[in-house]
Amino acid sequence: MAAINDLLRQIPDTSLRDRLEQEFARLSKNKKFGLVFEEHIPECTPLYDVPVKRGSTVALKTGHINDLYTVLKIEEDIALCRNKTTGDTRNIPVSELVSVAQFGEPIFPMLQPIAAVENARDSNLWHTIIEADNYHALQLLEYLYPKKVDCIYIDPPYNTGARDWKYNNDYVDSTDNWRHSKWLSMMQKRLKIAKRILADDGVLIVTIDDNEQAHLTMLLNEIFPDRKLFPVPIQHNPRGTQGEKFAVTHETAIFVVSKTSEIYKKSHLGGEISNFRKWGNQSERSKTARATTFYPVIVDKELNIVKFGDVLPPDEHPAGANVKVGDFIYVYPIDSNGIERKWRYSKKNENEVLPFLKAIDNSGTIEIHIQRESENTKTIWTDPLYNAEEYGTKMINSMLDTTFSYPKSLYAVHDALWHVVSGKPNALIVDFFAGSGTTLHAVNLLNVEDNGNRRCILVTNNEVSEAESKALREQGYQPGDPEWEKHGICRSVTWPRTKYSILGKRDDGTILSGEYFTNQIVSKEVKRSFYQLGFIDNPTDLTTASKKQLVSLLRDKDGKQQLPQSLVKADSKFIVSDKHSATILFDVNAVNEWLEALEDQDHITDFYIVVKSAATFKEIKAQVSNLLGPMNVTLQVKRPMSDGFPANVEYFKLGFLDKNSVSLGQQFREILPLLWLKSGAIGRRPEINSDEEPDMLILPQNGFAVLVDETKYAEFAKKISEENNIKVVYFVTNSEEAFREMTDGIKIKNTYQLYRDYIDNFVLGSRRDS
């Protein structure tokens, strides 16, 4: 190494020597082990809405984005341009040029309002959609929400070789020998900024398929060395995509989790969930002093079960099934007819049973349900609702006039988010590869299930598909033209899907059809089913083989066998199982033993009785009905899509400001949407209607205030002292000392200096990222 440095010093050409020294320093840092990939030419982004003017960095709209020019002058819509690589100059019509943002250059973003939908006027919650290149949008999010995002969910391009993504405005396909390193270079830049907006206890979720999973795993380990990765295969295509050797049925969600992150456990619905209260004649409250199954289950306002209360003496009777005591609700095993019954387990089993209980609001009455299986999150997910064709493609196609390739199942995204934010009702969720907008759709479903107030920010470009791009060019349109832009993904898919799903109808007034599956459940009483097997002449003479043959005939409504033959033993007089919803009585002489075995088996729905006498069958049926009563089943609540969601969304397009204009304080109107977002996007976005810049803004409905003219500080401080809802204050001043003094003079912790904080964030951030 030292010898090479000595040789480099001998090069007389100083510019060449400096360049070689820089390149050698870069090569010296290359790793000998781990994920190694080319950095590639830095990314450039076309900015179709930024005017071309003297000094602009530009490219030809029909050329390569990295073939850059500097505009020397403009006369009569003709720009004299110098090529940044060759130094050659040429005249180019301004209409053929597009402004370009280069990686590593400081940008000064603003948000241009495009549209909004408001379907929850009483709610202060506003989601956000940002149409932008996600790299620049992430730079903005770092200014708005450093270390404040609870969950980042992204579904980046899978890099299958099918021209599904672009690098430097060119499609990357299977013929590109550098497609893997280009993909990693693209992801690395974005994940580094994503790390800076993720809260310490936040979770990053990345879905990917096998094309890049191994590479992505190594990249994530490199960027998040202090976190643990949990890969979760999800069966999203049960039929399988026919590959060269295998039919691929899955993709993988990688959960990037810190030590302080919490992964919430999910109770899967089904026959294993039932009421904690007993049913039938044997379920009424015991009047003996030794009774230990009549006590309150104490629940807080958020329906969290706190603990079991004390057992009530036999002569003490509560006022009802739900009794409010301070901030808690005491839930007793009292049925809808006011009859005092028993819990399934006594007070002494509290520690054993408590983890499997769940409080449910059933039409205003709090009920306690028990989940018999462990609720630990599994590392392989299979559920019919994760089918991307059924609950992704078909769902979107039913909403929109256009089609979108390979959208996620709404429920796969919903469940991934649920495990991360179900215990955080005010979570902030970001998706910067938003695609069709499934993440925001899933957040709205989560919120409506538990009255949450989670906020979602989507970022997606407005890329036009390759086929549509070709057709539009043939018609004479170029990127940036209104006709071109309306075919982009954000405007033709993401926004209309979001809008229609919230309103429950399309722009033409037609109502959305279909239903959502929700995590909400409701209890319902259903009768148990009894079947007389009277075709056997001598039931007591049944052999073991005959009993097995008989059991094999027992099928449910879907044709599945209800009891395994392995349960039949040589001396079996009946079969009762904790794991199966059917039972069979072979020998009616053993009816008392059978009834005793059934006493706590509330999950059994189907009863088969081998007996020729109809009278005996009816008598036994009555005994079972008296013992167990009707079955209390838990059903999944569905929500009509036409109901929409009580939610509000603002749709912006990312724009760019001139640094000098910002420094001089001439861009307040353009900056205001950013201040609203930085303050939490509370309430309807404020606007300045007059042409004159105000001296100050006091916005209690939005939770923030701005002092524009620092000479008005005394008046400003007095006004905000009279407001209780101001949580964030912005001071426009060039003086660091004045900013500190003004901050010290108010009682609000969150204060920011404009426009210095804004400018420094993007200048310093661009240096760090480059």
Side-chain angles (χ1 to χ4, degrees):
M1 293 292 187
I4 294 176
N5 281 320
D6 290 338
L7 290 171
L8 289 172
R9 293 193 196 101
Q10 297 174 28
I11 297 174
D13 186 333
T14 55
S15 61
L16 176 61
R17 182 176 66 241
D18 290 343
R19 184 71 185 87
L20 287 172
E21 285 177 343
Q22 291 173 17
E23 189 65 15
F24 175 65
R26 186 182 70 81
L27 291 171
S28 300
K29 295 177 181 178
N30 281 355
K31 292 174 293 184
K32 304 301 184 292
F33 178 78
L35 186 64
V36 180
F37 58 93
E38 292 290 328
E39 292 293 335
H40 291 284
I41 298 171
E43 292 179 64
C44 295
T45 305
L47 309 175
Y48 295 105
D49 290 337
V50 174
V52 175
K53 56 186 179 181
R54 183 173 177 271
S56 295
T57 297
V58 298
L60 285 165
K61 288 181 179 179
T62 56
H64 196 282
I65 195 69
N66 276 310
D67 189 13
L68 299 175
Y69 295 83
T70 300
V71 177
L72 302 179
K73 65 178 181 178
I74 298 177
E75 291 182 356
E76 297 181 354
D77 294 329
I78 300 295
L80 177 62
C81 302
R82 178 189 292 124
N83 189 289
K84 285 198 169 188
T85 303
T86 66
D88 297 337
T89 59
R90 58 182 288 197
N91 289 313
I92 306 172
V94 172
S95 62
E96 295 179 9
L97 297 173
V98 60
S99 295
V100 173
Q102 294 177 276
F103 175 77
E105 290 183 340
I107 54 99
F108 302 95
M110 53 83 74
L111 292 174
Q112 175 189 350
I114 301 296
V117 59
E118 186 175 11
N119 200 38
R121 295 187 182 276
D122 295 333
S123 172
N124 281 326
L125 172 69
W126 284 79
H127 302 301
T128 309
I129 294 177
I130 302 175
E131 178 190 319
D133 169 84
N134 58 11
Y135 179 77
H136 296 305
L138 278 167
Q139 290 180 304
L140 172 60
L141 292 178
E142 185 181 2
Y143 169 67
L144 299 176
Y145 306 114
K147 289 289 184 182
K148 292 181 180 179
V149 177
D150 297 289
C151 177
I152 299 174
Y153 178 100
I154 55 173
D155 181 40
Y158 284 3
N159 200 18
T160 62
R163 299 172 70 85
D164 60 341
W165 72 289
K166 286 184 175 183
Y167 191 87
N168 271 330
N169 222 35
D170 284 340
Y171 280 108
V172 179
D173 59 26
S174 57
T175 63
D176 191 327
N177 292 330
W178 301 99
R179 69 184 179 96
H180 292 294
S181 61
K182 283 181 178 178
W183 189 88
L184 287 166
S185 183
M186 179 271 296
M187 290 297 295
Q188 181 194 51
K189 295 181 181 74
R190 287 150 179 81
L191 288 171
K192 282 183 175 180
I193 306 179
K195 181 180 180 179
R196 299 198 287 267
I197 67 173
L198 192 63
D200 291 336
D201 64 342
V203 176
L204 167 66
I205 308 170
V206 189
T207 56
I208 199 69
D209 73 357
D210 292 343
N211 284 287
E212 297 290 356
Q213 185 195 340
H215 302 138
L216 177 63
T217 298
M218 295 181 73
L219 180 63
L220 289 170
N221 275 318
E222 180 181 287
I223 295 176
F224 298 92
D226 55 341
R227 288 176 174 249
K228 190 167 183 178
L229 272 57
F230 292 92
V232 178
I234 302 175
Q235 187 184 59
H236 71 303
N237 183 2
R239 296 177 61 184
T241 301
Q242 297 302 318
E244 184 179 349
K245 303 286 186 182
F246 295 88
V248 180
T249 64
H250 76 284
E251 61 187 8
T252 301
I254 303 175
F255 288 73
V256 184
V257 180
S258 74
K259 291 180 180 179
T260 56
S261 302
E262 184 160 2
I263 299 298
Y264 297 95
K265 299 176 181 179
K266 186 174 178 63
S267 298
H268 292 278
L269 301 175
E272 293 299 322
I273 300 178
S274 53
N275 205 308
F276 189 47
R277 188 181 70 234
K278 294 190 73 172
W279 294 85
N281 290 344
Q282 304 297 319
S283 67
E284 290 192 29
R285 179 186 183 186
S286 174
K287 297 179 175 57
T288 67
R290 293 182 299 169
T292 59
T293 55
F294 194 84
Y295 52 84
V297 176
I298 302 174
V299 177
D300 67 16
K301 292 178 182 177
E302 284 74 39
L303 298 187
N304 299 307
I305 297 177
V306 180
K307 63 177 182 177
F308 290 175
D310 295 331
V311 175
L312 267 63
D315 58 349
E316 189 174 332
H317 304 279
N322 293 176
V323 178
K324 196 169 187 312
V325 180
D327 291 332
F328 300 95
I329 300 169
Y330 282 45
V331 183
Y332 292 92
I334 299 175
D335 67 18
S336 57
N337 295 318
I339 299 174
E340 295 179 351
R341 299 192 180 274
K342 304 174 185 175
W343 293 126
R344 292 190 185 186
Y345 293 90
S346 66
K347 162 78 172 174
K348 66 181 181 180
N349 299 113
E350 178 176 1
N351 293 334
E352 175 189 349
V353 175
L354 208 57
F356 302 100
L357 297 184
K358 189 174 185 178
I360 302 294
D361 186 342
N362 186 11
S363 301
T365 300
I366 307 302
E367 296 179 351
I368 307 300
H369 289 212
I370 184 168
Q371 169 78 27
R372 294 191 172 210
E373 291 183 347
S374 169
E375 299 176 357
N376 284 340
T377 304
K378 305 296 192 298
T379 55
I380 295 180
W381 292 3
T382 58
D383 191 310
L385 292 178
Y386 300 156
N387 187 324
E389 172 68 21
E390 193 68 30
Y391 301 108
T393 303
K394 289 184 179 179
M395 182 179 288
I396 291 180
N397 290 349
S398 71
M399 287 185 179
L400 309 177
D401 293 331
T402 186
T403 58
F404 182 77
S405 301
Y406 312 115
K408 286 281 176 289
S409 162
L410 174 67
Y411 305 106
V413 179
H414 169 279
D415 283 6
L417 295 175
W418 190 98
H419 284 289
V420 175
V421 299
S422 61
K424 296 180 176 180
N426 298 304
L428 176 60
I429 299 154
V430 167
D431 180 351
F432 54 87
F433 282 101
S436 66
T438 306
T439 301
L440 196 153
H441 201 162
V443 170
N444 280 334
L445 186 57
L446 279 170
N447 280 342
V448 82
E449 287 173 343
D450 63 4
N451 296 315
N453 205 46
R454 301 171 188 88
R455 183 159 62 95
C456 183
I457 298 174
L458 297 186
V459 177
T460 182
N461 60 29
N462 198 41
E463 193 68 58
V464 174
S465 71
E466 186 178 16
E468 287 181 316
S469 172
K470 183 179 179 180
L472 288 167
R473 288 186 190 280
E474 289 175 353
Q475 296 173 51
Y477 297 111
Q478 297 185 61
D481 294 343
E483 183 65 26
W484 182 291
E485 294 302 311
K486 79 176 187 180
H487 289 87
I489 179 177
C490 193
R491 303 201 180 189
S492 67
V493 180
T494 318
W495 173 243
R497 177 194 184 164
T498 299
K499 183 179 179 182
Y500 299 169
S501 64
I502 288 175
L503 297 177
K505 61 182 179 181
R506 303 174 186 84
D507 283 339
D508 61 7
T510 56
I511 303 299
L512 298 185
S513 60
E515 294 177 312
Y516 298 112
F517 294 90
T518 75
N519 269 346
Q520 295 170 309
I521 54 178
V522 63
S523 294
K524 182 180 179 182
E525 286 188 3
V526 296
K527 293 182 179 179
R528 302 177 194 271
S529 300
F530 293 85
Y531 305 92
Q532 180 184 1
L533 305 182
F535 55 85
I536 299 172
D537 292 328
N538 297 302
T540 56
D541 294 337
L542 283 172
T543 64
T544 302
S546 298
K547 291 176 182 177
K548 287 187 176 183
Q549 187 177 9
L550 182 59
V551 165
S552 70
L553 299 175
L554 308 182
R555 304 278 170 167
D556 63 16
K557 61 181 180 180
D558 296 322
K560 294 181 180 178
Q561 189 169 325
Q562 291 183 288
L563 291 170
Q565 297 181 47
S566 58
L567 292 177
V568 178
K569 309 300 179 187
D571 58 348
S572 294
K573 297 178 181 179
F574 54 82
I575 295 175
V576 175
S577 170
D578 290 336
K579 298 179 180 179
H580 298 90
S581 61
T583 178
I584 184 169
L585 174 64
F586 295 117
D587 185 355
V588 294
N589 295 318
V591 65
N592 290 332
E593 296 175 55
W594 185 53
L595 290 171
E596 186 176 339
L598 288 174
E599 187 167 345
D600 290 321
Q601 305 297 332
D602 289 349
H603 67 287
I604 296 180
T605 58
D606 298 314
F607 299 81
Y608 296 91
I609 302 169
V610 182
V611 62
K612 290 188 72 69
S613 168
T616 303
F617 170 74
K618 289 181 180 179
E619 181 182 345
I620 295 174
K621 176 182 175 182
Q623 288 178 285
V624 174
S625 297
N626 288 334
L627 174 67
L628 298 178
M631 181 152 184
N632 193 40
V633 297
T634 304
L635 302 176
Q636 191 170 12
V637 175
K638 295 181 182 180
R639 179 182 179 85
M641 291 186 179
S642 58
D643 284 356
F645 296 105
N648 308 311
V649 183
E650 275 267 8
Y651 171 20
F652 298 99
K653 181 173 182 178
L654 190 72
F656 299 91
L657 300 174
D658 176 75
K659 178 185 176 182
N660 294 328
S661 297
V662 175
S663 301
L664 294 171
Q666 297 174 351
Q667 303 286 342
F668 182 72
R669 185 192 300 272
E670 289 77 8
I671 292 287
L672 188 56
L674 304 187
L675 305 185
W676 172 66
L677 281 169
K678 191 173 179 67
S679 305
I682 299 168
R684 187 180 295 179
R685 176 178 55 83
E687 297 182 83
I688 301 175
N689 296 320
S690 66
D691 293 332
E692 293 185 12
E693 190 173 86
D695 294 333
M696 64 184 72
L697 283 179
I698 310 292
L699 304 166
Q701 70 275 19
N702 302 117
F704 73 95
V706 187
L707 177 61
V708 180
D709 183 351
E710 58 185 302
T711 65
K712 307 287 186 179
Y713 173 73
E715 179 187 350
F716 177 78
K718 183 177 184 301
K719 285 185 175 181
I720 64 171
S721 68
E722 297 169 352
E723 298 287 350
N724 296 322
N725 294 328
I726 302 297
K727 308 297 181 186
V728 182
V729 172
Y730 302 91
F731 293 110
V732 178
T733 177
N734 291 323
S735 168
E736 187 77 28
E737 183 179 357
F739 170 69
R740 286 197 299 268
E741 288 180 358
M742 289 189 288
T743 295
D744 292 341
I746 60 175
K747 297 180 180 179
I748 295 171
K749 295 181 180 179
N750 297 315
T751 60
Y752 300 93
Q753 181 182 356
L754 290 179
Y755 294 89
R756 182 167 180 175
D757 284 349
Y758 172 84
I759 292 173
D760 286 353
N761 177 81
F762 298 105
V763 171
L764 298 176
S766 63
R767 291 173 186 167
R768 176 178 54 209
D769 294 333
S770 61

